[in-house]
């Protein structure tokens, strides 16, 4: 079977240039591209293109177990793609691999016609390349503004978080805290801004003492949750259900009753949410539907439709972890800052 | 054939209550609904439901000629819907008809399972009902925030208008006018705000003298275009291509050269845009793709997927109607307000 390397040797150019020429990259001259394509055809190169291959690239996200966020997202996508004859590879990724190889090269060498990308952060090496890459690509919860080859799918984070804050406000909560990851991903930033916007809509002031950010879920929840309670939070929004699970553990260790002492709200509605004790009030992301829409968006790009984004609703699912705001004695700022504990 | 009326007579209730009971409207008691459904089944009522019917409701938009905005929007939708066995009725609508009948009754009586709505304005009588209607409905260029039965499709108006303003800015234009309809529709408002945002991004001040709004295209263009030119506009953004056509006429009547004296940009990329003289620089709305995405969104709603919106890109198509900014002698505000002509 003829390889990229065979074509490279014949033309006296690098394998990566051959790959670029075949993938329509913009930094290969029209003349050279023509030569590469003609030579490839002459030598009988078929690539793996003929196989109808897509890939799902996953980073910063569990997906192997049904209880992990990526599981149904992937199964929704794959289910639709298989119906239309696609082979789909699921490839875990990390920053190192992105440094070793460009996105275009990765895609060309894998023979992939398009990709669905999950869990990328704004700091990822390939994010820069996405601004110009000419490969049909759909991002979950990330947006690339001006590249027509890239589309996005995600949930209405704004609507979901606003519904959560309004629900808490309706229960009498006026000190609503936030536990979240650091602001280095598009989605975390968006939820953070939605939290600020929702407070504003309810006429509540933003208090930085009620916000706890940290990358490592268990560790940062352990550090931040007691601080938020100290500062008078009667309810805590968790930017994802894993943080809500960690918050339950911390509350249990401190004998704080949910929702008697503190109401907890999650985000995602992972399968476990309904089985927690008490069952978790959370914002639902319909992951199978997100996967299906991801495939539809990719199909649009592959057929030349200029799709920009698909957004699903993110409804609030009210369960047992939220209740009327606890009445606590008012503390002076000074007292609180000296950690006069509960 | 058994009709709604036959069931109504048998049960001694109104036809509209029967219709509500069969369409799961929320204002019919569970008990009554059950009775209606059982009676309908007993009498062999099949409705028109079994026929898989959808409808496209059109207001404020031409759609019968290939050169009108709605034509391809509808054909894109119908093409996809027919592939999956749907019958699609296209129904022109006006405010009077909306006052005569509720949306729910209209849909039930037509036997429609879902609808695609084009050209509705924020003042339309049914807009209020859309907040609570329990009928799968997709709106083109309108948004209903909290009803999970309603989804939206549209273009990235913001991105499109920003690209247009940046293009003009790059050609040296600093006085960029806007001709648009009145701000009583979601889409007109959005484009208006995008225009303001784009000026801001380019560091240009907003000057109300450079904005001309009016419902009737030809008339308001005749009134407003000369005013904008008076006030120093070297380029004019038209919120739709029909206004651009009217602007060409006005420029011709006033011996203003396009783009020598004034650059003109449209929005929509109607088929005629490429054949105007000079060919019109405009923001493209891919209407067949919008129609296809409208059908996809409706399909999602019909299958219980909580879709919120699908947005397509709106790329700028640069043609002959834009060029370097004309150099005009600066005028004092006073002089201009006295209409000291060109």
């Amino acid at each position: 079977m003829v390889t990229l390397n065979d074509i490279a040797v014949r033309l006296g150019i690098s394998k990566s240039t051959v790959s670029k020429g075949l993938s329509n990259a913009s930094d290969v001259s029209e003349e050279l591209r023509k030569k590469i394509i003609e030579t490839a055809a002459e030598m009988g190169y078929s690539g793996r293109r003929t196989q109808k291959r897509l890939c799902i690239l996953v980073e910063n996200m569990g997906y192997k177990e049904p209880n992990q966020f990526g599981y149904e997202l992937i199964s929704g996508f794959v289910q639709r793609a298989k119906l239309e004859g696609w082979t789909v590879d699921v490839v875990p990724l990390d920053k190192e691999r992105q440094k070793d190889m460009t996105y275009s090269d990765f895609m060309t060498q894998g023979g992939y016609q398009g990709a669905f990308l999950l869990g990328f952060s704004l700091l990822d090496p390939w994010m820069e390349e996405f601004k110009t890459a000419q490969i049909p690509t759909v991002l979950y919860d990330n947006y690339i503004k001006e590249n027509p080859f890239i589309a996005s799918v995600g949930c209405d984070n704004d609507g979901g978080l606003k519904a959560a804050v309004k629900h808490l406000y309706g229960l009498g909560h006026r000190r609503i805290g936030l536990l979240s990851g650091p602001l280095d991903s598009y989605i975390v930033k968006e939820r953070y801004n939605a939290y600020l916007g929702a407070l504003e809509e309810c006429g509540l002031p933003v208090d930085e003492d009620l916000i706890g950010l940290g990358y490592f879920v268990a560790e940062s929840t352990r550090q931040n949750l007691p601080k938020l309670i100290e500062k008078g939070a009667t309810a805590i929004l968790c930017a994802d259900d894993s943080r809500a699970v960690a918050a339950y553990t911390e509350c249990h260790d401190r004998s704080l009753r949910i929702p008697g002492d503190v109401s907890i709200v999650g985000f995602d509605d992972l399968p476990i949410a309904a089985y927690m004790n008490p069952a978790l009030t959370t914002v639902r992301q319909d992951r199978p539907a997100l996967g299906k829409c991801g495939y539809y968006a990719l199909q649009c790009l592959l057929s030349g439709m200029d799709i920009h984004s698909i957004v699903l609703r993110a409804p609030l699912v009210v369960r047992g972890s939220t209740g009327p705001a606890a009445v606590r004695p008012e503390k002076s700022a000074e007292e609180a800052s000296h950690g006069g504990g509960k």
Side-chain angles (χ1 to χ4, degrees), chain A:
Chain A
M1 190 178 127
V2 179
T3 64
L4 290 180
N5 207 41
D6 298 334
I7 304 169
V9 168
R10 166 85 69 99
L11 290 170
I13 58 180
S14 75
K15 186 173 145 190
S16 114
T17 306
V18 174
S19 154
K20 282 179 188 175
L22 293 174
S23 66
N24 274 327
S26 57
D27 53 346
V28 171
S29 73
E30 208 37 60
E31 197 187 349
L32 181 55
R33 186 200 320 283
K34 203 162 160 256
K35 207 165 171 186
I36 292 168
I37 292 173
E38 283 170 3
T39 309
E42 188 194 317
M43 295 173 73
Y45 176 77
S46 63
R48 278 184 280 180
R49 292 241 152 184
T50 45
Q51 279 185 45
K52 283 195 78 172
R53 290 165 73 92
L54 302 176
C55 72
I56 301 179
L57 295 166
V58 196
E59 209 188 345
N60 304 313
M61 187 189 287
Y63 65 91
K64 289 183 178 160
E65 306 292 331
N67 221 351
Q68 291 180 310
F69 189 83
Y71 188 86
E72 291 175 311
L73 203 54
I74 290 174
S75 62
F77 182 99
V78 170
Q79 186 196 323
R80 288 289 162 102
K82 281 199 172 162
L83 281 178
E84 300 189 10
W86 292 95
T87 301
V88 183
D89 291 346
V90 180
V91 184
L93 205 73
D94 57 32
K95 290 193 174 46
E96 289 315 307
R97 190 151 177 195
Q98 292 177 50
K99 282 181 200 158
D100 285 350
M101 191 189 270
T102 67
Y103 175 55
S104 302
D105 282 351
F106 172 85
M107 293 295 287
T108 310
Q109 289 181 24
Y112 300 119
Q113 284 102 307
F116 186 33
L117 272 55
L118 312 180
F120 274 59
S121 101
L122 298 174
L123 305 173
D124 268 307
W126 284 358
M127 285 304 276
E128 192 55 35
E129 194 182 344
F130 293 150
K131 292 181 187 163
T132 53
Q134 300 192 1
I135 300 159
T137 302
V138 175
L139 304 177
Y140 162 71
D141 262 335
N142 262 304
Y143 289 78
I144 296 290
K145 261 194 176 174
E146 285 167 17
N147 184 347
F149 288 87
I150 311 262
S152 299
V153 298
C155 272
D156 178 15
N157 291 298
D158 201 52
L161 263 173
K162 282 185 178 163
V165 170
K166 282 180 184 172
H167 164 67
L168 292 170
Y169 187 87
L171 289 166
H173 296 272
R174 296 297 177 268
R175 305 276 295 160
I176 301 170
L178 177 72
L179 290 176
S180 167
L183 306 180
D184 64 0
S185 92
Y186 177 87
I187 182 178
V188 174
K189 269 193 196 167
E190 194 172 80
R191 290 189 194 158
Y192 181 82
N193 289 330
Y195 161 77
L196 301 183
L199 290 183
E200 198 184 339
E201 272 189 28
C202 289
L204 297 175
V206 173
D207 183 344
E208 287 194 8
D209 284 342
L210 294 184
I211 300 173
L213 309 179
Y215 185 78
F216 296 101
V217 174
E219 192 182 296
S220 80
T221 305
R222 180 157 307 144
Q223 279 178 7
N224 287 310
L225 183 133
K227 286 189 202 165
L228 269 55
I229 301 287
E230 282 293 323
K231 299 294 183 179
T234 59
I236 296 177
L237 286 175
C238 301
D240 52 80
D241 283 355
S242 321
R243 267 167 228 274
V245 170
Y248 271 49
T249 306
E250 294 310 314
C251 287
H252 182 260
D253 290 355
R254 287 170 173 72
S255 305
L256 290 166
R257 290 164 307 147
I258 303 170
D261 295 314
V262 60
S263 287
I264 303 281
V265 178
F267 201 110
D268 286 343
D269 198 23
L270 291 182
I272 200 175
Y275 302 103
M276 288 163 71
N277 183 17
L280 182 67
T281 294
T282 186
V283 176
R284 175 176 293 158
Q285 294 208 69
D286 185 342
R287 294 175 295 287
L290 282 166
K292 288 170 188 169
C293 287
Y295 173 69
Y296 182 73
L298 191 51
Q299 201 189 21
C300 286
L301 293 173
L302 286 162
S303 65
M305 265 158 70
D306 241 0
I307 196 158
H308 172 277
S309 54
I310 300 183
V311 177
L312 294 178
R313 291 186 186 270
L316 180 71
V317 182
V318 177
R319 299 195 183 101
S321 66
T322 46
V327 181
R328 301 227 192 96
E330 277 284 336
K331 263 184 214 167
S332 69
E334 201 194 345
E335 211 185 329
S337 72
H338 283 87
K342 189 186 149 73

